[in-house]
Amino acid sequence: MSENQAKVIAYIEENQAKLIAGLAEAVEIPSVSGDASFRAEVYKMGAWLKNRLSELGCEVSSHDLGMQELDGQEVQLPPVIVGSIGKDTSKKTVLVYGHYDVQPALKSDGWKTEPFELVHDKESDRLYGRGSTDDKGPILGWLNVLEAHQALGLELPVNLRFCLEGMEESGSVGLEEFVVQNKDKLFHDVDAVCISDNYWLGTNKPCVTHGLRGIAYFKLLISGPAHDLHSGVFGGVVHEPMTDLVSIMSSLVSPQGKILVPGIEEQVAPLSDDELKVYDAMEFSISDIDNSTGSKSTISDKKSDVLMARMRNPSLSLHGIEGAFGEPGSKTVIPHKVTGKFSIRLVPNMEPSKVVEAVQKHVESEFSKLKSKNTMKLIPDHPGKPWCTDPKHWNYEAAFAATEKIYGVRPDLTREGGSIPITLTFADALQKNVLLLPMGRSDDGAHSTNEKLDLSNYIKGTQLLGTYLYDCLLYTSDAADDMQCV
Ligand code: BES
Ligand code: ZN
């Protein structure tokens, strides 16, 4: 380990209170991208980051992405914050991506603490708060690395570029176009990309990740009567939108997780014996899932089935029904208009357009079987493709070496079930290797109540990001990115 690398690690270790205070400031801004009433907070978070990056020595610019329609209103999209530090052409240039928006959270959802307040539980040594792991902790990790260098008067080992967005949790609207437009401008000198926005596979062993599932999100709208009706007066008299919707939604997926829409599972890349061996060898047990879900509810008890379900198979989840009666009590209403929401996680070799086509055909056929006089409309969101890359590249070598230095163990190489829509755009538009280097653990509860980041993951994760930048200098192999997934 180089002298500077050791100094940076020691600085991070010795300044924990300061680093926690930085994360607390970020968590206090409720930058929820999916709710128009929070949009001002998302802008505030972008401005906070712009200011911090500039204090830490970056040239920073804020890029407007135009307008979007949200909750029936036209609102301005949050800006992309682009930072740049270092212009030494003899050094490698690493592009860091992160998102500064978060999922919604209300104390009444079941949080033990205020969601937008970072609470350090001293007994468990965990930091609770919305965004602690997804994705403010990792973003702060990068800022902490800059701070350590500034405080120690050290030059960074690589040139760094930052691309921080405020719409990831809502589909990264506008970002793809922005990255493509700037591939030869803001991002012209990038050699590799590093994203810290995922989690370890379990709770003990770190990992390095080379694949993500894509996502196709759908809204299915059924409407009939002009307004809500009394079921005592109209029950059995009219076609009920909710009955139609529930019937169609139940035709999408079986309780065993099998996707029932024809033409979807047929697109999945076949499984080879070699690939199966990879899952058998991974350090993982069903209890890792049980710990994360707080239940015993896995569909299969076989390790490789569970891993494949998460990493290499598609899934269809039903998320909710807008317009349904969801309050406590026994209101005898017939909702006049309901919107079912569901999504399909996409894997190689699924084609998003073919998935949308197959879903459209299926819901039309199911709806026609109902002989209902209601009307049905399927509204697909812009889908995100799956991403998978060949890890035989210096970017991955650096991540492996850095993880071994910080955690004393060779990390697992994993693929992830979640989606980060811009990952594939970076790979395709910039034609550079993309790496996912996680900070948090599988039980952090991203998107859930009581989201947390263990203090040790925050501190060691920050050290890991810093160490990775130094280890980028150790390797040169630049294997062709041939989309090998195993
Ligand atoms: N950090 C997650 C992505 C993730 C989730 C990685 C699980 C690994 C495991 C990210 O913030 C996220 O939640 N993305 C959304 C994207 C969607 C809204 C397009 C997702 O996966 O649902
Ligand atoms: Zn995230």
Side-chain angles (χ1 to χ4, degrees):
M1 188 182 297
S2 76
E3 201 184 314
N4 287 0
Q5 204 166 5
K7 280 189 191 164
V8 169
I9 290 177
Y11 178 91
I12 294 163
E13 195 72 43
E14 286 155 16
N15 286 274
Q16 300 195 19
K18 203 170 167 196
L19 307 194
I20 296 171
L23 181 56
E25 270 189 46
V27 167
E28 268 166 37
I29 305 174
S31 48
V32 178
S33 57
D35 181 336
S37 65
F38 281 86
R39 190 47 62 94
E41 300 292 339
V42 190
Y43 304 146
K44 190 170 159 194
M45 187 65 216
W48 186 90
L49 281 171
K50 186 171 178 230
N51 180 48
R52 271 309 282 150
L53 282 170
S54 158
E55 284 174 353
L56 292 166
C58 295
E59 272 175 32
V60 204
S61 47
S62 173
H63 301 263
D64 192 357
L65 295 179
M67 305 296 282
Q68 93 175 116
E69 210 229 271
L70 181 63
D71 304 335
Q73 307 169 38
E74 275 283 300
V75 289
Q76 184 87 36
L77 286 163
V80 182
I81 306 297
V82 175
S84 165
I85 183 163
K87 285 199 167 66
D88 184 341
T89 50
S90 67
K91 287 181 180 174
K92 284 177 177 156
T93 300
V94 174
L95 170 65
V96 164
Y97 161 88
H99 65 91
Y100 62 83
D101 62 321
V102 294
Q103 286 280 324
L106 293 172
K107 178 115 198 284
S108 58
D109 291 341
W111 282 74
K112 293 192 202 108
T113 57
E114 284 300 331
F116 294 106
E117 210 176 276
L118 190 75
V119 176
H120 183 183
D121 177 51
K122 297 273 167 47
E123 215 168 288
S124 59
D125 232 0
R126 288 173 164 177
L127 304 167
Y128 285 92
R130 176 56 91 224
S132 54
T133 195
D134 186 11
D135 185 32
K136 292 180 174 173
I139 290 188
L140 265 285
W142 292 111
L143 298 186
N144 297 339
V145 170
L146 292 185
E147 184 184 316
H149 283 80
Q150 191 181 55
L152 294 164
L154 297 177
E155 235 185 71
L156 286 162
V158 296
N159 304 314
L160 274 182
R161 307 286 173 255
F162 289 91
C163 175
L164 308 176
E165 72 154 321
M167 274 298 282
E168 195 272 349
E169 300 292 4
S170 304
S172 295
V173 182
L175 188 64
E176 182 174 346
E177 223 183 331
F178 175 81
V179 170
V180 171
Q181 279 168 1
N182 281 290
K183 71 183 167 72
D184 300 320
K185 296 178 194 156
L186 294 167
F187 307 128
H188 73 99
D189 54 358
V190 169
D191 294 307
V193 183
C194 182
I195 301 178
S196 185
D197 185 23
N198 64 308
Y199 323 99
W200 296 353
L201 196 52
T203 52
N204 295 316
K205 195 176 174 196
C207 66
V208 167
T209 302
H210 73 123
L212 287 165
R213 295 197 287 186
I215 186 167
Y217 202 100
F218 298 90
K219 293 181 183 126
L220 184 63
L221 176 75
I222 308 228
S223 56
H227 43 78
D228 287 359
L229 301 171
H230 191 299
S231 65
V233 182
F234 297 101
V237 174
V238 298
H239 291 286
E240 299 193 15
M242 185 80 149
T243 312
D244 293 352
L245 181 68
V246 169
S247 169
I248 298 175
M249 284 180 89
S250 70
S251 77
L252 298 170
V253 61
S254 83
Q256 260 50 45
K258 185 172 168 43
I259 299 177
L260 303 173
V261 179
I264 301 276
E265 294 204 336
E266 293 83 338
Q267 296 181 41
V268 178
L271 175 71
S272 69
D273 290 344
D274 279 350
E275 189 185 337
L276 186 57
K277 281 186 205 141
V278 172
Y279 302 111
D280 283 329
M282 257 177 213
E283 193 173 300
F284 172 82
S285 81
I286 302 287
S287 64
D288 286 319
I289 297 275
D290 295 343
N291 286 340
S292 304
T293 63
S295 67
K296 285 196 180 296
S297 47
T298 53
I299 291 174
S300 168
D301 290 328
K302 202 166 144 204
K303 174 178 142 183
S304 57
D305 282 352
V306 171
L307 286 173
M308 286 194 291
R310 173 140 153 209
M311 297 181 183
R312 65 104 56 217
N313 290 335
S315 57
L316 191 156
S317 299
L318 307 178
H319 303 300
I321 298 180
E322 210 175 294
F325 171 59
E327 311 305 318
S330 331
K331 190 174 169 188
T332 52
V333 66
I334 298 173
H336 75 291
K337 186 170 102 182
V338 281
T339 306
K341 299 181 188 184
F342 60 96
S343 72
I344 303 178
R345 294 283 167 174
L346 311 177
V347 296
N349 305 320
M350 290 166 80
E351 240 333 297
S353 60
K354 278 200 201 158
V355 170
V356 173
E357 217 175 280
V359 170
Q360 180 78 47
K361 199 168 159 205
H362 176 76
V363 295
E364 273 170 15
S365 136
E366 289 299 309
F367 185 63
S368 72
K369 285 185 204 161
L370 303 180
K371 310 233 176 300
S372 168
K373 290 183 182 163
N374 291 325
T375 56
M376 182 204 74
K377 193 175 171 202
L378 182 74
I379 309 163
D381 269 1
H382 177 66
K385 287 186 183 174
W387 162 78
C388 196
T389 196
D390 187 348
K392 287 184 233 74
H393 190 280
W394 60 260
N395 202 19
Y396 279 79
E397 296 295 335
F400 275 109
T403 310
E404 270 195 89
K405 284 192 184 117
I406 300 300
Y407 287 102
V409 54
R410 181 101 182 142
D412 275 326
L413 179 67
T414 61
R415 286 164 62 185
E416 255 304 352
S419 312
I420 307 171
I422 204 61
T423 315
L424 186 70
T425 310
F426 282 132
D428 284 355
L430 308 185
Q431 287 289 303
K432 298 295 169 194
N433 182 268
V434 184
L435 157 79
L436 256 72
L437 185 55
M439 175 178 268
R441 305 183 186 185
S442 66
D443 65 349
D444 283 352
H447 294 205
S448 181
T449 47
N450 303 308
E451 177 180 345
K452 59 88 178 162
L453 178 64
D454 288 73
L455 178 62
S456 68
N457 282 63
Y458 183 46
I459 299 305
K460 279 194 185 326
T462 296
Q463 292 171 330
L464 170 65
L465 299 179
T467 305
Y468 152 78
L469 296 181
Y470 283 85
D471 285 353
C472 281
L473 311 188
L474 303 178
Y475 304 93
T476 49
S477 73
D478 211 354
D481 192 341
D482 58 0
M483 290 290 286
Q484 237 170 14
C485 291
V486 192

